[in-house]
Amino acid sequence: MPVTAVRRTNGRRSTSTQARFAITAVSGGDLVMSGKDGASVCQGDAGGPVFHMIDGRPTLVGINSRSNQVGCFGIESAKGTPSQATGTRVDDLSDWITDNAVRTPVSDFNGDGRSDVGMLYDNGAVTDGGFRSSLWSLTSTGSGFAEPQRKWDSEDWGSWNGSRSKTFSGDFNGDGRGDVDVLYDYGTRADGNGNRTGLLTLTSTGTGFKKPVKVWDSADGNHSWTWARSDIA
């Protein structure tokens, strides 16, 4: 069975390359691979994927584990040493992964596996001339929702106009908890050339949210971006 292993060239470069191998034996959880045209798995390549073409599509069947390192940078192999490598099988794990993998719900703010409801509330103008908004959540109980709890308030952060905010949630840092992103309308650019829009993230801590962090601003690229013409995907 022909397979393709992803590796680093001669174990020196960080740029991924591919090499062709033939499976000469399967021993328990190991794939014994023989390199074609001098191909080898080198030091630092462990953990790289091994693919086999199935129905015209590359399918993960193994992970680079160890090899004889024939032809690898800094390695002197005895004459006649076969260009052989060993990969750890993963093709037999697909059913288990499918049965046990759990997708994080979009708005699971506390990481309990259930989607919650978040609401950005517009508290309106404040006495200093700015605006105040607050982020509330209704935590799912499985059969309903707990009472709304305020998880963040702009009062300790700065002026925030709720009417200029479009929110959406997702697990943006991959920690299993739903975060909140806000597309914010900053209005006309300071130079008068177009409009300015920013994207801010409130990262979930499990019990609340960290202070907003701006992750994108249309002004940074000297671009005009009209908030009113933007839909949340």
Side-chain angles (χ1 to χ4, degrees):
M1 180 179 76
V3 295
T4 300
V6 177
R7 62 195 184 103
R8 295 187 301 174
T9 304
N10 290 333
R12 291 184 292 175
R13 301 178 186 174
S14 58
T15 302
S16 295
T17 60
Q18 298 180 357
R20 299 281 292 172
F21 292 81
I23 300 298
T24 58
V26 178
S27 178
D30 288 341
L31 300 173
V32 181
M33 307 185 299
S34 177
K36 294 186 176 182
D37 300 322
S40 183
V41 171
C42 298
Q43 183 177 2
D45 293 335
V50 178
F51 295 102
H52 174 56
M53 297 298 293
I54 298 178
D55 295 329
R57 300 179 60 183
T59 302
L60 182 68
V61 295
I63 297 174
N64 293 331
S65 176
R66 55 196 183 276
S67 79
N68 292 340
Q69 300 190 57
V70 174
C72 294
F73 178 73
I75 302 296
E76 294 186 7
S77 303
K79 187 176 181 179
T81 301
S83 180
Q84 187 171 308
T86 302
T88 301
R89 288 186 63 187
V90 298
D91 59 300
D92 55 348
L93 297 178
S94 58
D95 291 340
W96 181 90
I97 293 173
T98 300
D99 292 340
N100 291 276
V102 177
R103 184 181 297 274
T104 301
V106 171
S107 301
D108 180 13
F109 300 129
N110 60 0
D112 66 356
R114 296 189 292 259
S115 292
D116 308 307
V117 174
M119 298 181 292
L120 187 68
Y121 191 85
D122 183 5
N123 296 94
V126 292
T127 55
D128 64 0
F131 296 88
R132 179 184 171 193
S133 297
S134 51
L135 182 62
W136 297 69
S137 71
L138 289 83
T139 302
S140 173
T141 63
S143 58
F145 292 90
E147 288 293 315
Q149 292 186 335
R150 185 166 54 192
K151 298 296 185 178
W152 173 80
D153 197 308
S154 67
E155 186 176 32
D156 300 324
W157 184 81
S159 178
W160 189 294
N161 192 332
S163 66
R164 293 190 172 193
S165 305
K166 294 180 181 180
T167 62
F168 57 103
S169 59
D171 181 14
F172 302 123
N173 60 0
D175 64 357
R177 296 188 294 261
D179 311 305
V180 174
D181 261 17
V182 182
L183 192 69
Y184 194 83
D185 179 16
Y186 288 98
T188 304
R189 285 175 38 169
D191 59 9
N193 296 321
N195 302 291
R196 179 185 173 198
T197 300
L199 183 65
L200 298 99
T201 297
L202 291 88
T203 302
S204 173
T205 64
T207 57
F209 293 89
K210 295 181 180 179
K211 292 182 179 181
V213 175
K214 188 183 294 182
V215 294
W216 174 76
D217 193 320
S218 64
D220 292 340
N222 198 31
H223 300 303
S224 174
W225 190 288
T226 304
W227 177 86
R229 295 185 178 182
S230 304
D231 289 328
I232 300 300

